[in-house]
Amino acid sequence: MYTPADFFEINQNFQRINSLLQRLFIAFGRREYRDPSVEGPGAPFYLRALLGQATGMLTNPFQAINMQMQLVSTSTALAADLYQNMLTGGVSTQKQLDVHATDVQLRRHPFFIALQHQHRLISEWLDGTVDSAVHKDDRALEQVRFFAGQLKALLAPDNFLATNPEALNKMVQTNGKSIVDGLENLVEDMERADGDVLVALADPKGFEVGQDLATTPGHVVLETSLFQLIRYSATTEKTYSRPLLIAPPWINKFYILDLQRKNSMIAWLVDQGFSVYVISWRNPDTTMQDIGFDDYVLNGVVKAIDAVCELTDEETINVVGYCIGGTATACAAAWLAKQDRPSPIRSITFFTALVDFSDPGVAKVFMDESFMGGLIHEIGRKGMMDKRILARSFSYMRPSDLVYGPAINSYLLGEKRPKFDLLFWNGDSTNLPARMAREYLIRLFRDNELVNDKFDVAGTPVSLKDISVAHYVVAAEKDHIVPWEASFSGLERLRGQGRFVLAQSGHVAGVVNHPAKHKYGYWINEDRPKDMVEWRKGSTAYDGSWWEDWSAWLGRRSGRKVVVENSWPTGHNQLEPAPGRYVKA
């Protein structure tokens, strides 16, 4: 029974809906036009899929007919079971597939059980249809499987208000407030993304960079138009004389390695006595459209290496390259090996880095000719690769975890976004300069020039075989961006002493694994991984973080310990406190 207070609240919610809808239309009106090819699969994909399916049906018509008959038969039986139980009030004879911790009673209703089973039947039919088709190559089959998976994730009953029992129950209990709160979350997401629907994975106001995140003490000691160089303050009486430079990816921001004190790799390294420098890349705008991959190598990584050597009066330093920062670091090391001076790199550590793009993971599935052509057109039109395209592409690699699950919580249940540092960082993405993005897509991703010995840096041919320094390679077992096999197979081409480490978890959590957490382990095999299956079989599993193994390896290559007062040149400029202003843009 509703009370006058309930009716008042319902009326207030309707007024909020009216206001929010106006904001929604204004936000949607700001959405800019993009090439349709980057919004989803283009016509060539659907044509290939249809031709493959038609060929499969002609090749084995009885299998196709049998699949259709099975879908009709099982769907009819499911409908009959639902009809019987709705009439009699009985309990469904169908096995319940997914009982949530909340609203269990509502989920046991025959209607919702039937919905779950119908989604299962359609998913199985889609899988069977894809497998029965005939495709011109394995890549085409992988593409169809990928988009079939996207369709299955989209059609899950929980994604829709009318078929989500938790959302319906909460809507009734809150007099519609949960739906209004969800609409407000949607509007705020669209306003932040200028009309695009990019669901926030974490509270966008939950942290402030420099206040809650990236708080390890230090100073910016060099600033260029491309990056700021940060030196972190020592916390020990003595530090290693040979400094450590970290080149993070410029697709996201460097503070993934300096989130909070409890999980900061940078703070941990400083506490181990390492003298740590980090490149903080500038977030590009259209004025940087002519910045190329060469610039990130020479005016980025190489310039930072030379600056650290000059600042510390050391002839050599240790370098870390993370993700695309690792790709650039490999190119920088190969270029330096071709110069008329000794290389200033003593060792290189690679975090989930890709240099061999013959198997670039899930990305190869949707990076077909149509999508890549649309991207290049968009890049040329706008003068940069928009961070929203990148964010959406990476999210749909894991749609249930990064799209639909968060959308259900935010939009249908109206819940507040979690205050989660890693997910906050994930939403703080960056643009890419137009020229650099084109070169990366064409020369590295499509043509795989670096592995094929056809790549050059500013006219100087470079090869992975040019690199002969000691290297420590970390890949992640469940990395959906850089498959560990691809990372190892590419970096195995380097000469010199190499140590290959396979970390548990994924692209980020496998790297950011503080020893104090005792969360993920790792595998090491003293042999080089020429055969990935055999390497994995022969590896030894270790508990805890690989950071400690790396610290011991790195320490042996970091020189003597020096008193902190003597490790920094007197009077050198400290431009501004870390993390600097570039990371906040």
Side-chain angles (χ1 to χ4, degrees):
M1 178 69 67
Y2 285 103
T3 66
D6 291 327
F7 283 112
F8 177 77
E9 184 178 11
I10 292 171
N11 181 60
Q12 292 291 103
N13 287 333
F14 273 112
Q15 291 184 34
R16 283 183 63 198
I17 288 175
N18 181 57
S19 174
L20 288 169
L21 287 176
Q22 293 180 42
R23 289 171 56 190
L24 181 68
F25 291 137
I26 293 172
F28 186 77
R30 295 207 304 266
R31 188 178 189 276
E32 63 179 15
Y33 169 82
R34 293 198 189 98
D35 190 303
S37 299
V38 302
E39 302 293 349
F45 166 79
Y46 291 111
L47 181 60
R48 287 197 303 269
L50 288 172
L51 288 175
Q53 182 59 30
T55 305
M57 292 179 67
L58 291 173
T59 304
N60 194 347
F62 294 105
Q63 181 183 8
I65 294 172
N66 183 53
M67 287 172 50
Q68 298 290 341
M69 293 298 294
Q70 282 185 344
L71 178 63
V72 172
S73 174
T74 52
S75 297
T76 302
L78 184 60
D81 179 73
L82 172 62
Y83 179 72
Q84 178 67 25
N85 288 298
M86 294 291 282
L87 285 179
T88 63
V91 178
S92 175
T93 59
Q94 301 286 338
K95 179 182 178 183
Q96 191 165 349
L97 297 175
D98 183 21
V99 178
H100 286 204
T102 58
D103 300 317
V104 173
Q105 191 62 39
L106 188 55
R107 279 207 173 265
R108 286 177 178 167
H109 190 283
F111 174 70
F112 292 109
I113 293 178
L115 284 173
Q116 294 179 62
H117 280 278
Q118 189 61 47
H119 179 256
R120 173 182 60 83
L121 294 175
I122 292 175
S123 298
E124 291 173 352
W125 175 79
L126 270 172
D127 290 337
T129 300
V130 170
D131 291 339
S132 67
V134 176
H135 300 282
K136 64 179 183 179
D137 53 39
D138 291 339
R139 185 166 181 266
L141 177 58
E142 288 179 1
Q143 281 186 317
V144 178
R145 282 178 174 165
F146 176 80
F147 286 106
Q150 298 288 320
L151 186 59
K152 290 187 294 183
L154 171 64
L155 295 178
D158 280 359
N159 293 342
F160 307 94
L161 175 62
T163 53
N164 186 314
E166 276 78 29
L168 291 173
N169 188 62
K170 191 172 184 180
M171 179 182 67
V172 173
Q173 289 181 344
T174 62
N175 291 328
K177 184 177 182 299
S178 61
I179 297 301
V180 181
D181 291 342
L183 179 59
E184 185 163 18
N185 287 337
L186 172 62
V187 171
E188 290 177 354
D189 284 350
M190 292 186 67
E191 288 175 339
R192 275 190 300 272
D194 290 330
D196 278 326
V197 181
L198 290 176
V199 58
L201 303 181
D203 182 359
K205 300 177 182 177
F207 298 95
E208 183 178 348
V209 178
Q211 295 295 323
D212 312 291
L213 306 176
T215 58
T216 301
H219 285 84
V220 174
V221 294
L222 173 68
E223 179 176 311
T224 74
S225 59
L226 187 59
F227 70 93
Q228 288 185 321
L229 181 65
I230 301 173
R231 176 189 185 263
Y232 288 92
S233 303
T235 59
T236 55
E237 292 184 0
K238 291 185 176 182
T239 62
Y240 289 104
S241 60
R242 182 171 291 120
L244 175 67
L245 171 67
I246 300 176
W250 54 87
I251 292 178
N252 282 99
K253 298 182 179 180
F254 84 86
Y255 68 88
I256 184 58
L257 300 177
D258 188 28
L259 291 171
Q260 301 183 74
R261 178 71 186 179
K262 63 183 180 181
N263 55 5
S264 169
M265 174 184 282
I266 290 173
W268 186 85
L269 286 168
V270 171
D271 288 344
Q272 308 311 303
F274 292 101
S275 180
V276 180
Y277 293 76
V278 172
I279 296 172
S280 174
W281 300 105
R282 180 181 170 189
N283 189 1
D285 54 27
T286 55
T287 64
M288 298 175 64
Q289 61 181 322
D290 293 326
I291 298 294
F293 194 84
D294 289 355
D295 292 296
Y296 278 91
V297 174
L298 299 180
N299 298 325
V301 177
V302 172
K303 188 175 184 66
I305 290 172
D306 289 340
V308 173
C309 288
E310 181 181 352
L311 288 169
T312 58
D313 199 26
E314 289 288 326
E315 294 182 355
T316 59
I317 69 171
N318 298 309
V319 184
V320 175
Y322 188 0
C323 190
I324 192 174
T327 312
T329 298
C331 293
W335 184 85
L336 285 167
K338 291 288 189 71
Q339 305 309 301
D340 293 331
R341 54 164 174 151
S343 175
I345 298 177
R346 173 65 176 84
S347 75
I348 307 177
T349 299
F350 294 96
F351 296 163
T352 60
L354 193 62
V355 293
D356 181 358
F357 290 81
S358 58
D359 182 16
V362 180
K364 70 179 178 182
V365 177
F366 58 84
M367 278 287 194
D368 62 0
E369 296 81 1
S370 175
F371 186 78
M372 189 175 290
L375 274 181
I376 292 173
H377 176 265
E378 277 299 301
I379 291 166
R381 183 185 68 83
K382 198 164 184 178
M384 63 182 184
M385 180 182 284
D386 195 306
K387 61 184 180 182
R388 289 168 292 183
I389 296 177
L390 285 171
R392 184 176 54 190
S393 298
F394 284 125
S395 293
Y396 278 98
M397 291 181 183
R398 292 167 52 197
S400 297
D401 296 331
L402 301 179
V403 181
Y404 300 114
I408 290 169
N409 292 331
S410 293
Y411 305 153
L412 298 187
L413 299 178
E415 295 180 354
K416 293 182 179 180
R417 325 300 176 93
K419 189 176 179 179
F420 189 0
D421 53 5
L422 194 152
L423 292 180
F424 178 91
W425 165 85
N426 186 74
D428 189 13
S429 53
T430 58
N431 304 311
L432 298 180
R435 181 182 156 204
M436 174 267 146
R438 284 196 302 269
E439 291 172 346
Y440 182 82
L441 288 172
I442 296 173
R443 299 183 62 193
L444 291 171
F445 190 94
R446 189 192 70 184
D447 296 341
N448 205 12
E449 290 184 2
L450 186 55
V451 164
N452 294 326
D453 295 334
K454 296 180 179 179
F455 197 75
D456 69 89
V457 174
T460 300
V462 296
S463 169
L464 296 172
K465 298 174 184 177
D466 297 328
I467 304 172
S468 58
V469 299
H471 45 280
Y472 190 102
V473 180
V474 181
E477 177 193 21
K478 297 180 180 178
D479 195 333
H480 65 289
I481 297 174
V482 179
W484 72 269
E485 298 93 339
S487 178
F488 280 6
S489 66
L491 293 169
E492 188 275 331
R493 299 166 187 266
L494 275 61
R495 295 184 295 117
Q497 182 190 27
R499 186 170 180 82
F500 291 77
V501 178
L502 179 61
Q504 289 182 335
S505 195
H507 190 71
V508 173
V511 173
V512 184
N513 181 25
H514 198 289
K517 290 185 174 293
H518 305 288
K519 194 169 185 180
Y520 301 118
Y522 59 98
W523 295 269
I524 292 180
N525 187 332
E526 300 299 334
D527 294 331
R528 297 184 75 91
K530 295 184 181 299
D531 183 288
M532 302 305 153
V533 175
E534 292 302 317
W535 184 92
R536 180 66 182 274
K537 288 180 180 179
S539 63
T540 301
Y542 296 89
D543 293 328
S545 175
W546 55 268
W547 290 12
E548 294 177 322
D549 179 83
W550 177 47
S551 176
W553 183 91
L554 192 61
R556 294 192 294 271
R557 293 161 176 81
S558 296
R560 68 193 187 285
K561 288 286 188 77
V562 297
V563 179
V564 170
E565 288 77 5
N566 300 329
S567 66
W568 182 245
T570 304
H572 188 84
N573 292 332
Q574 296 180 345
L575 304 181
E576 62 176 316
R581 57 191 175 86
Y582 276 11
V583 76
K584 300 177 183 180

